[in-house]
Amino acid sequence: MSMRPAWGPKLFLVLVTTTIVIGNYQRHRERIHLREQLVNGHKVTRNITRLQEEIIANLPPLRIPRLRHHRVTDWDPYFENAEGQGINGSQNVALHLGATALLDCRVAMLSGKKVMWLRRNADWASLLTLGNTTHISDPRYSVSFQYPNNWRLAIAGVRREDRGLYVCQVNTHPPRMLVTNVTVLAPDIRILDEARHELRDRYYKTGSGIELACVARPSCPDSRIPHPVWRKNGETLPDHVNVYHINGSNEDLVTKLYIEQAKKTDSGEYSCSVSQFSTAAVHIHVLNGEKQAAVHHDQWNAARTNCEKLNNLYITIASFVFLQTWMISSS
């Protein structure tokens, strides 16, 4: 009975001390775990920030399109080019003779409005198309819609007379218009004789030689054209007619035609053409001796009459000048 009071308080003190130590140890572990979480979280945040910086550094620069004022405020239709840039005013198109013209009209923000093509000059304007419908009897003209916003006018087999102004118009108020100025590139073709005189008609005597030169010059220095082709009355030349090519001056292409001994059957229209759209022609008349002599006689008489009139005029002027000079010197 005397041992209980001795170890009882000690046991109680040991239990209290053990409880305090265990509690402090658990709180210490929790603090360490929380510190590790904070450190790891900071590392993750820093890695994420570094990754974002790398991604931003590798991204291409942000391009903000420049918006025209009326696009933002009015929301009206406007014209643009193939790159999506707004255009105003007019544009120029150069086309080769016989090619197919493709005139583009890109209209953004059409909003139910109608697109029409007009041909215009100083005195008149004619409607070509309205929407997808063609309003001209010429079958060479057509319109087709090219996605997303291109109302394309096509002209097949371009001719010289197709040059001029073409207007793409939107029926707003006031109307919006895009003017296209079309230039047709056509070679210049001439038919020359031995003396390099341009011909339309020519008379030859039977048995004489005929030599003609067809000279074709490109419409612009950079364009290339084939050698001219000779025909008689729209058909292939007879076998006895010789054709050969020679080098012309500058960029001229020359094709010569030669008949050694002309016959009456060689009379006709000789045409020289580059493709089927650019042509020059000369009428050749082969006559026998009497008729040819009469032709030369009439031409010689007409020339002599003109020369006599010119000589009389010179004599009159000279006499008047001499008389005026004599009167001045006498006074």
Side-chain angles (χ1 to χ4, degrees), residues 160-184:
R160 293 177 185 267
E161 57 268 23
D162 291 330
R163 65 181 181 273
L165 299 180
Y166 293 81
V167 182
C168 179
Q169 179 174 309
V170 183
N171 64 336
T172 57
H173 182 74
R176 296 190 182 274
M177 294 181 291
L178 177 66
V179 180
T180 302
N181 184 20
V182 173
T183 302
V184 179

Side-chain angles (χ1 to χ4, degrees), residues 113-150:
K113 300 293 192 299
K114 290 291 185 180
V115 178
M116 65 186 72
W117 276 98
L118 307 169
R119 187 176 181 188
R120 190 183 69 186
N121 63 14
D123 301 325
W124 53 266
S126 60
L127 178 64
L128 302 178
T129 66
L130 176 61
N132 287 317
T133 306
T134 304
H135 288 267
I136 184 173
S137 59
D138 192 338
R140 299 183 303 119
Y141 288 83
S142 63
V143 62
S144 61
F145 179 75
Q146 308 290 320
Y147 183 83
N149 59 0
N150 188 10

Side-chain angles (χ1 to χ4, degrees), residues 36-169:
E36 291 177 352
Q37 287 182 345
L38 291 175
V39 172
N40 293 334
H42 179 69
K43 290 181 179 180
V44 170
T45 304
R46 186 169 54 185
N47 293 335
I48 293 176
T49 304
R50 185 182 299 110
L51 181 61
Q52 290 177 345
E53 292 176 353
E54 293 178 356
I55 293 175
I56 294 174
N58 293 327
L59 285 176
L62 180 62
R63 297 181 179 180
I64 301 176
R66 298 180 60 185
L67 300 177
R68 296 190 299 176
H69 179 68
H70 75 271
R71 295 190 194 179
V72 178
T73 58
D74 297 338
W75 301 101
D76 283 340
Y78 62 91
F79 302 104
E80 63 182 16
N81 57 19
E83 288 75 27
Q85 300 171 343
I87 56 176
N88 288 311
S90 61
Q91 54 188 359
N92 298 316
V93 175
L95 303 168
H96 288 281
L97 195 68
T100 298
L102 298 176
L103 308 184
D104 291 327
C105 179
R106 297 178 174 87
V107 186
M109 298 176 63
L110 190 58
S111 301
K113 300 293 192 299
K114 290 291 185 180
V115 178
M116 65 186 72
W117 276 98
L118 307 169
R119 187 176 181 188
R120 190 183 69 186
N121 63 14
D123 301 325
W124 53 266
S126 60
L127 178 64
L128 302 178
T129 66
L130 176 61
N132 287 317
T133 306
T134 304
H135 288 267
I136 184 173
S137 59
D138 192 338
R140 299 183 303 119
Y141 288 83
S142 63
V143 62
S144 61
F145 179 75
Q146 308 290 320
Y147 183 83
N149 59 0
N150 188 10
W151 299 85
R152 174 177 288 174
L153 177 68
I155 310 173
V158 172
R159 303 170 183 170
R160 293 177 185 267
E161 57 268 23
D162 291 330
R163 65 181 181 273
L165 299 180
Y166 293 81
V167 182
C168 179
Q169 179 174 309

Side-chain angles (χ1 to χ4, degrees), residues 204-316:
Y204 291 91
K205 181 181 178 181
T206 54
S208 61
I210 299 176
E211 184 176 356
L212 304 174
C214 179
V215 181
R217 175 172 296 179
S219 56
C220 59
D222 296 332
S223 61
R224 295 183 179 181
I225 59 174
H227 278 278
V229 177
W230 280 100
R231 289 183 176 274
K232 179 185 177 184
N233 297 327
E235 300 179 353
T236 306
L237 294 174
D239 294 336
H240 69 280
V241 181
N242 299 314
V243 174
Y244 53 96
H245 306 298
I246 64 172
N247 294 326
S249 59
N250 299 327
E251 297 182 355
D252 293 347
L253 296 177
V254 181
T255 301
K256 283 198 171 185
L257 178 149
Y258 180 71
I259 301 176
E260 186 175 0
Q261 292 184 345
K263 299 175 292 185
K264 293 189 67 175
T265 55
D266 292 324
S267 299
E269 182 188 67
Y270 289 80
S271 61
C272 173
S273 62
V274 175
S275 75
Q276 58 178 330
F277 301 100
S278 190
T279 304
V282 59
H283 293 274
I284 299 298
H285 309 274
V286 180
L287 307 176
N288 58 30
E290 292 80 7
K291 292 182 179 180
Q292 177 68 13
V295 170
H296 279 295
H297 181 70
D298 293 339
Q299 292 176 348
W300 182 81
N301 285 337
R304 188 174 70 173
T305 301
N306 292 333
C307 289
E308 289 177 354
K309 292 180 180 179
L310 189 60
N311 289 334
N312 292 333
L313 180 61
Y314 286 157
I315 293 172
T316 303

